[in-house]
C-alpha cells in the first residue's frame, strides 16, 4: 500500500507512484517556452515562506478533518512530525475505530483493529520514509532525484506548470504549480501498492499562514469515483516529546 | 490528501446493498404518499444518481451504451415527476437496467424511521424464520427470548403473524423480480417474515404455527429488544441491528470447536472477533457461522481472514473503472494483549446459506479459493460486489456498486455465489429434532481432521 506524507494535506503532494496521466491531460507547450523545473519549485519554496522560515522549526502537529461528503463519513486526523524524519499519525473515524501509523527513524508501521498491527517493508517502507521526511513537503528539491517541467494545465481555474518529480526511490508525481502565485494547486498520480494501482487527482486551495509558513487548508482528492476533502483545523510547531514516536507494544511484539 | 488512509477508507466502506434490515429495503413505510418534489430537485437528484454510476461503473461497455440511453429515456420522466415516490419509480427503473446486485435507492424516510428506532429500541420475537422446502420454518429460537419463553420450537412452520398468513407473505414474493430465483426467494421470504415479527418493544404479536405434528398452535409473543444487539450507524447506511457471539462447542470424539457468529460485518464487531480468536486459539477447529449475515464493511473480511492465514495473501480482487485493487490479508501475529501469537492453523469451517451475502461471500469464497476453509451449508446469495452508499439531493440514498469482484483465482461470486464444499441444508425433521445439519457436518469434519482422517483444508 502507498503512503503519502500527510504533509500533502498541508500542502504538498510531492511524490506518489507512476504519474503519467496528467501529462496526457496537459496542454502541449513547446519545451522552449516552459520554465525550468528548478525555477518553478524555487518560486514555490519562496511562496510558502522561504527556506529560512521553513528551516526554523523541528516539530509540527497538524489537526485535520477529512470527509467523504457524499457518503456521510468524516474522520479526524492528528499528525505529529519531527525533524529529520519521525512521524506519528492517528486517524479516528467514527464508526470505524482508530488507525495509527508512524516511523520512529528505523521502523515504519501501521496498526488498526480491523487489519492488525504491521511493520512495513518494500514500497510501503519507501513511501513511509518519504512521508516522514520533515522537509520534503515544503522544500521538494531536497527529495527529488529529477524534476522536469513537462507542460501546463488548469486546476480549479488556475493555470499552472506541470512538473514531473521523481524521488530517489522512483516515486513519481505530476505536481502543478500556479503560474502566478507559485503555489502548488494540483497533483496527479497513479498510486501503486500491494492493493494495486489507482489513479488519484488532488487539488489544493485555501492557503493560510501558520507561523510564517503558508499551507493549503483544503485538499480535494478524487479516487475511485469518489471525492474526499481534507480541512486543516490547526498547525502548531511546538516541540513534540520523542516518546510520541516510540513503537507501540503491538509493533514491538512483531519484532520478536 | 492522497494517502494510504484514504485508500483504505475507500476500500473499507465498500458495503453490501443486501446489508439492510428487513424493514429498510422497502419504501412501503414512512413518507406520506405523494410527497411533493420540485422539478429542480427532481432534476438534481436524477442527474446525481445517473452521474455517480456513470463515473464509477466498471463496465465501460454498459457505460458507453445502455447507460447513456437510460439517461436519454428516463430524464424527461424524472423531470416530470411531481412526487418523491414518482421519482423513485424512475430511479428504480434506471438502475433496474443494470444486471448487477448492489444497486438500490434507500428512501430517506426509511433512514429517518430507523434512526428514530435507535432511541426506542427494536422489538424482536427472539426467533429466526427461513424458507425451507417452500415453507416458512422456525430455524432458530434465541435462548431466553420471547419465542423461547412461549415454548416455540425449531421446525415449527409459521402459519400466520397477526392477520397476515404465511401464504399471503409468500404470494407477495411472486411480484418481486429478484424473488423469482430460489436464493432471491429465500432472501425476500426471510425479509418478509422478519419484518412481520418486529415492532416496538412491549408490543404483542399473535403468531400461529404448525407444530411438529402439524397441529395449529397459537402463541402471543411480547416483543422486546434482544440482548447483545447494538444499533450501528455507518455512513449513509440506515442503522443496523448488529449482534455477535462466540462460544466453545464439544464435537465428536472429544474435539472442541470455537463457534463465532455475527449478523453484520460492522466495525463494532472487530474487537470482539479478535477477542474471540484469543479465547478460542487452542480449540481443535473454528466454525465461522455466516448464515444470515448479509454483509457490511468490505475491509473487515481480509482483516478477519488474517487470523487463519500464515502468509500474506489476496482474499479478493476489485476491478474498478480506474484500476485494480487487491483485498490483501496479513497474518495476525499479535493478540489483543500485544503478545506474539501464530495465526490459527487448525481446520476452519464456514457455514453459509442464501442470506450470506456480499462481504460474507468475500470472506467465505475468498478463503475457499485459497484452500484455507471448508464451506458447509447452502449456496450463498450471489450478491457480491463492493458498493458505496451516496446521499442524493432529495435525501434518499443511492447504493451503487463500484467494482467487479473475484477471488484470487478469478472466480466471480456475483450471480454465482459460493458453493459449499459440503451441502448441508436444513430440513424440517432435523430442525424439529433440534439438530443443525451444517454445524454437525462442520464439527464432524473437524473431528476427522484431528484424527488425521481428513485434510485440514
Amino acid at each position: 500500500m502507498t503512503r503519502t506524507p500527510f504533509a500533502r494535506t498541508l500542502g504538498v503532494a510531492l511524490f506518489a507512484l507512476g504519474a503519467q496521466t496528467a501529462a496526457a491531460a496537459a496542454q502541449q507547450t513547446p519545451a522552449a517556452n516552459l520554465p525550468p523545473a528548478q525555477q518553478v519549485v524555487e518560486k514555490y519554496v519562496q511562496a510558502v515562506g522561504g527556506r529560512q522560515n521553513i528551516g526554523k522549526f523541528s516539530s509540527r502537529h497538524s489537526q485535520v478533518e477529512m470527509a467523504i461528503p457524499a457518503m456521510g463519513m468524516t474522520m479526524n486526523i492528528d499528525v505529529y512530525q519531527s525533524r529529520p524524519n519521525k512521524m506519528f499519525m492517528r486517524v479516528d473515524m467514527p464508526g470505524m475505530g482508530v488507525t495509527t501509523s508512524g516511523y520512529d527513524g528505523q521502523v515504519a508501521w501501521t496498526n488498526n483493529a480491523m487489519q492488525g498491527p504491521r511493520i512495513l517493508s518494500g514500497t510501503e517502507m519507501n513511501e513511509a520514509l518519504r512521508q516522514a521526511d520533515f522537509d520534503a513537503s515544503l522544500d521538494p528539491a531536497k527529495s527529488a532525484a529529477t524534476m522536469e517541467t513537462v507542460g501546463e494545465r488548469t486546476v480549479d481555474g488556475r493555470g499552472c506548470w506541470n512538473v514531473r518529480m521523481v524521488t530517489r526511490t522512483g516515486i513519481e508525481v505530476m505536481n502543478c504549480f500556479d503560474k502566478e502565485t507559485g503555489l502548488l494547486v494540483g497533483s496527479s498520480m497513479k498510486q501503486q501498492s500491494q492493493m494495486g494501482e489507482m489513479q488519484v487527482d488532488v487539488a489544493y486551495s485555501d492557503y493560510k499562514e501558520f507561523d510564517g509558513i503558508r499551507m493549503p487548508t483544503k485538499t480535494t482528492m478524487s479516487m475511485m469515483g469518489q471525492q474526499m476533502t481534507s480541512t486543516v483545523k490547526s498547525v502548531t510547531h511546538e516541540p513534540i516529546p520523542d516518546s510520541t514516536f516510540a513503537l507501540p507494544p503491538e509493533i514491538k511484539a512483531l519484532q520478536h | 490528501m492522497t494517502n494510504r488512509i484514504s485508500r483504505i477508507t475507500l476500500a473499507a466502506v465498500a458495503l453490501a446493498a443486501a446489508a439492510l434490515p428487513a424493514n429498510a429495503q422497502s419504501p412501503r413505510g414512512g413518507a406520506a404518499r405523494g410527497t411533493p418534489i420540485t422539478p429542480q430537485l427532481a432534476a438534481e437528484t436524477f442527474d446525481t444518481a445517473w452521474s455517480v454510476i456513470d463515473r464509477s461503473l466498471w463496465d465501460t461497455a454498459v457505460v458507453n451504451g445502455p447507460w447513456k440511453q437510460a439517461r436519454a429515456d428516463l430524464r424527461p420522466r424524472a423531470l416530470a415527476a411531481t412526487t418523491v415516490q414518482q421519482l423513485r419509480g424512475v430511479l428504480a427503473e434506471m438502475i433496474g437496467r443494470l444486471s448487477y446486485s448492489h444497486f438500490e435507492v434507500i428512501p430517506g424516510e426509511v433512514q429517518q424511521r430507523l434512526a428514530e428506532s435507535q432511541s426506542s429500541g427494536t422489538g424482536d420475537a427472539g426467533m429466526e424464520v427461513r424458507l425451507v422446502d417452500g415453507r416458512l420454518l422456525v430455524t432458530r429460537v434465541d435462548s431466553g427470548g420471547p419465542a423461547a419463553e412461549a415454548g416455540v420450537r425449531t421446525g415449527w412452520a409459521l402459519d400466520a403473524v397477526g392477520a397476515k398468513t404465511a401464504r399471503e407473505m409468500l404470494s407477495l414474493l411472486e411480484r418481486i423480480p429478484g424473488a423469482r430465483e430460489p436464493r432471491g426467494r429465500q432472501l425476500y421470504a426471510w425479509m418478509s417474515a422478519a419484518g412481520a415479527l418486529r415492532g416496538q418493544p412491549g408490543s404483542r404479536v399473535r403468531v400461529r404455527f404448525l407444530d411438529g405434528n402439524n397441529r395449529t398452535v397459537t402463541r402471543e409473543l411480547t416483543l422486546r429488544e434482544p440482548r447483545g444487539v447494538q444499533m450501528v450507524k455507518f455512513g449513509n447506511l440506515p442503522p443496523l441491528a448488529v449482534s455477535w457471539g462466540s462460544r466453545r462447542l464439544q464435537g465428536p470424539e472429544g474435539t472442541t470447536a470455537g463457534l463465532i457468529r455475527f449478523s453484520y460485518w460492522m466495525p463494532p464487531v472487530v474487537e470482539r472477533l479478535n477477542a474471540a480468536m484469543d479465547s478460542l486459539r487452542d480449540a481443535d477447529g473454528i466454525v465461522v457461522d455466516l448464515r444470515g449475515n448479509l454483509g457490511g464493511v468490505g475491509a473487515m473480511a481480509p482483516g478477519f481472514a488474517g487470523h487463519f492465514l500464515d502468509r500474506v495473501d489476496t482474499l479478493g480482487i476489485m476491478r474498478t473503472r480506474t484500476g485494480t485493487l487487491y483485498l490483501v490479508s496479513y497474518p495476525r501475529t499479535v493478540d489483543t494483549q500485544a503478545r506474539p501469537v501464530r495465526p490459527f492453523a487448525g481446520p476452519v469451517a464456514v457455514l453459509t446459506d442464501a442470506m450470506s451475502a456480499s462481504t460474507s461471500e468475500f470472506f467465505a469464497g475468498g478463503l475457499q479459493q485459497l484452500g484455507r476453509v471448508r464451506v458447509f451449508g447452502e449456496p450463498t446469495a450471489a450478491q457480491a460486489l463492493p458498493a458505496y452508499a451516496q446521499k442524493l439531493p432529495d435525501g434518499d440514498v443511492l447504493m451503487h456498486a463500484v467494482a467487479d469482484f473475484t477471488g484470487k483465482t478469478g472466480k466471480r461470486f456475483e450471480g454465482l455465489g459460493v458453493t459449499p464444499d459440503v451441502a448441508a441444508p436444513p430440513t424440517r425433521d432435523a430442525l424439529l429434532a433440534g439438530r443443525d445439519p451444517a454445524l454437525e457436518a462442520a464439527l464432524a469434519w473437524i473431528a476427522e481432521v484431528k484424527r488425521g482422517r481428513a485434510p485440514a483444508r
Side-chain angles (χ1 to χ4, degrees), chain A residues 2 18 23 31 35 38 44 58-59 75 83 162 178 206 208 229 241 248:
Chain A
T2 304
Q38 288 76 5
Y44 163 74
S58 297
S59 304
M75 60 194 95
R83 195 184 298 277
N162 244 347
D178 191 304
D206 295 8
K208 289 180 184 168
T229 60

Side-chain angles (χ1 to χ4, degrees), chain B residues 112-136:
Chain B
Q112 181 64 32
R113 196 175 69 246
L114 287 166
E116 288 165 357
S117 78
Q118 284 188 93
S119 55
S120 58
T122 303
D124 185 89
M127 65 181 183
E128 195 162 66
V129 176
R130 300 279 176 84
L131 189 65
V132 178
D133 296 332
R135 303 173 80 179
L136 290 170

Side-chain angles (χ1 to χ4, degrees), chain B residues 430-452:
Chain B
L431 290 166
L432 287 167
R435 293 177 43 234
D436 182 341
L439 180 59
E440 289 169 12
L443 294 174
W445 171 63
I446 289 168
E448 290 288 296
V449 172
K450 186 179 182 185
R451 299 284 170 253

Side-chain angles (χ1 to χ4, degrees), chain B residues 104-177:
Chain B
E104 183 94 28
V105 175
I106 306 167
E109 63 269 18
V110 167
Q111 304 252 8
Q112 181 64 32
R113 196 175 69 246
L114 287 166
E116 288 165 357
S117 78
Q118 284 188 93
S119 55
S120 58
T122 303
D124 185 89
M127 65 181 183
E128 195 162 66
V129 176
R130 300 279 176 84
L131 189 65
V132 178
D133 296 332
R135 303 173 80 179
L136 290 170
L137 299 184
V138 178
T139 53
R140 197 183 77 228
V141 177
D142 296 337
S143 175
E149 289 175 356
V152 176
R153 304 286 302 275
T154 57
W156 285 13
L158 190 77
D159 198 36
V161 180
K164 187 181 279 186
T165 66
R167 185 187 298 270
E168 287 168 340
M169 289 184 208
L170 294 177
S171 69
L172 287 173
L173 304 184
E174 306 303 328
R175 303 182 208 166
I176 302 172

Side-chain angles (χ1 to χ4, degrees), chain A residues 1-4 6 8-9 13 66 68-73 75 77 89 91 93 95-96 99 101 110 112-118 124 189 191-200 202 219 221 223-226 228 230 249-250 253-254 256, chain B residues 1-13 52 55-56 233-236 267-268 270-271 274 297 299-300 302-304 312 318 320 322-336 338-340 388-391 400 402:
Chain A
M1 283 179 272
T2 304
R3 291 160 49 103
T4 300
F6 184 76
R8 275 196 188 173
T9 303
M66 189 170 173
I68 315 174
M71 294 167 65
M73 305 181 84
M75 60 194 95
I77 305 173
M89 178 159 64
V91 181
M93 188 170 170
M96 285 279 282
T99 296
S101 57
T110 182
N112 66 62
M114 206 175 282
Q115 300 284 346
R118 289 199 303 119
E124 286 187 278
M189 67 220 69
Q191 286 196 337
Q192 284 183 322
S193 70
Q194 284 177 295
M195 283 187 76
E197 186 181 83
M198 187 190 298
Q199 178 62 35
V200 179
V202 193
T219 304
M221 180 177 60
M223 60 195 295
M224 285 179 69
Q226 293 290 320
M228 307 176 81
S230 300
E250 295 85 356
L254 290 171
H256 295 134
Chain B
M1 182 174 81
T2 52
N3 65 9
R4 197 181 52 80
I5 294 297
S6 313
R7 181 196 296 267
I8 288 173
T9 301
L10 279 173
V13 298
V52 162
R55 281 198 309 269
S56 60
K233 182 82 176 80
F234 186 84
N236 285 330
V270 170
E271 299 279 8
N274 294 339
V297 177
M300 280 180 64
F304 187 39
V312 178
M318 295 167 54
T320 72
T322 54
T324 301
L325 293 175
Y326 299 86
L327 286 187
V328 180
S329 192
Y330 299 92
R332 304 296 290 260
T333 55
V334 176
D335 71 5
T336 57
R339 295 173 300 209
Y388 295 150
Q390 164 135 3
K391 193 88 129 187
H400 65 105
V402 295

Side-chain angles (χ1 to χ4, degrees), chain B residues 206-250:
Chain B
R206 192 175 178 82
V207 187
R208 194 169 70 229
F209 300 94
L210 297 176
D211 70 6
N213 296 314
N214 286 320
R215 291 176 304 206
T216 299
V217 179
T218 302
R219 294 285 186 268
E220 187 113 337
L221 307 179
T222 302
L223 304 183
R224 64 171 180 256
E225 205 164 321
R227 287 174 300 182
V229 171
Q230 179 181 339
M231 295 303 291
V232 175
K233 182 82 176 80
F234 186 84
N236 285 330
L237 281 181
L240 301 172
V242 178
S243 62
W244 57 84
S246 64
R247 59 196 169 103
R248 190 178 292 262
L249 300 175
Q250 288 296 321

